[in-house]
Amino acid sequence: MEYSKVREQLIWNLRLDFDPVGITFVYDESLESSLPITHRAKVKITYCQFLTAARQNRMAFYMKPEKLLCQNAWPVFNFRDLEQEADTKRHLKYLIDKDLAWEAVQQKARLEKGCKGIYMAPIDFFDKAEIKPDLLFMICTPYQAYHILNDYMGGMKKPNLSFFHTPNSAVCSGSVWAFNNNTANMTTMCAGSKTSGKTEMAYLNVFIPGKHIEPFITQQQKRVAMGEGASLLGKGSQPWPGLDVCKGCPLFKFEAV
């Protein structure tokens, strides 16, 4: 699979505003030297901020635990054990109820222990990497997400999908849940991904398992070849979304009352 072609196809067909990003959870430290890394963080930043730099500025990172700032993300990646008092307190502002807050923390997705770091880069960087992406991550509009997930369902022969929403940890827990459950996931922004991760108000987080990228991409290619076009391009493979919409529809008429 040529990931550079995956990037081109997704950006062109879906008119993505940002680069699709590949994410890999690295358990073998010896792989670090072979990763195509372009930048290192000088100080601790959040998982969301690493991903923002990857999708908006085409930077490639290997995020080690000591460079991760967000305390909500630490237990999600199993970089530390849960701390009942502190972790409950972090969720009280959302859920108010202490027992519910602690239960929510415990039920978040958690990565298997032993992850040494996380590699994040624009998806085409994986053409030069010795590893494959565990996840394809995209920040997109709801309409783009709708068509991404339709192509995913078609490619994977799934008639429907379920998603995993938590009080926060939209991107970190959202990533790990998709990876652990080997299925697509979609989350809203959380407070952290809104502020630190620069998820604008109209965007969603979408995660596709790395092993499912090929059937997902192939499904979209098939629809283009059939003349249906990529979903966002309108009926009959119009060159830009909306060209098939009747601007002067006679059904929309109003009168004062």
Side-chain angles (χ1 to χ4, degrees), residues 11-47:
I11 290 176
W12 171 250
N13 287 342
L14 296 166
R15 306 300 197 259
L16 293 178
D17 296 317
F18 308 105
D19 258 287
V21 172
I23 300 170
T24 298
F25 303 113
V26 179
Y27 283 80
D28 183 353
E29 282 181 307
S30 66
L31 290 173
E32 182 182 354
S33 60
S34 66
L35 297 173
I37 298 168
T38 65
H39 292 78
R40 301 184 191 278
K42 290 185 176 180
V43 297
K44 288 184 179 182
I45 60 174
T46 69
Y47 179 61

Side-chain angles (χ1 to χ4, degrees), residues 56-124:
Q56 292 194 188
N57 214 30
R58 290 187 57 75
M59 295 180 178
F61 301 98
Y62 179 60
M63 185 195 80
K64 295 183 179 181
E66 58 266 27
K67 287 297 185 181
L68 177 60
L69 177 66
C70 182
Q71 280 300 312
N72 286 318
W74 270 76
V76 167
F77 297 130
N78 232 319
F79 293 162
R80 69 164 172 83
D81 293 329
L82 292 175
E83 300 166 355
Q84 184 169 354
E85 184 176 350
D87 287 323
T88 298
K89 186 176 180 181
R90 292 186 182 99
H91 293 73
L92 270 177
K93 60 183 175 181
Y94 305 112
L95 302 177
I96 302 176
D97 184 295
K98 285 183 69 173
D99 292 336
L100 181 61
W102 174 231
E103 187 177 353
V105 171
Q106 296 176 86
Q107 290 192 14
K108 284 187 187 180
R110 297 197 78 189
L111 200 61
E112 183 180 343
K113 260 188 176 175
C115 179
K116 306 301 183 184
I118 302 173
Y119 179 65
M120 295 168 274
I123 191 64
D124 52 300

Side-chain angles (χ1 to χ4, degrees), residues 134-145:
D134 289 325
L135 293 169
L136 174 66
F137 169 62
M138 290 167 279
I139 282 191
C140 49
T141 67
Y143 193 54
Q144 289 167 331

Side-chain angles (χ1 to χ4, degrees), residues 23 60 105-106 125 144 152 156 165 179 181-182 239 245 251:
I23 300 170
V105 171
Q106 296 176 86
F125 278 56
Q144 289 167 331
Y152 177 80
M156 295 304 298
H165 178 86
F179 175 67
N181 291 277
N182 198 35
V245 175
L251 296 178

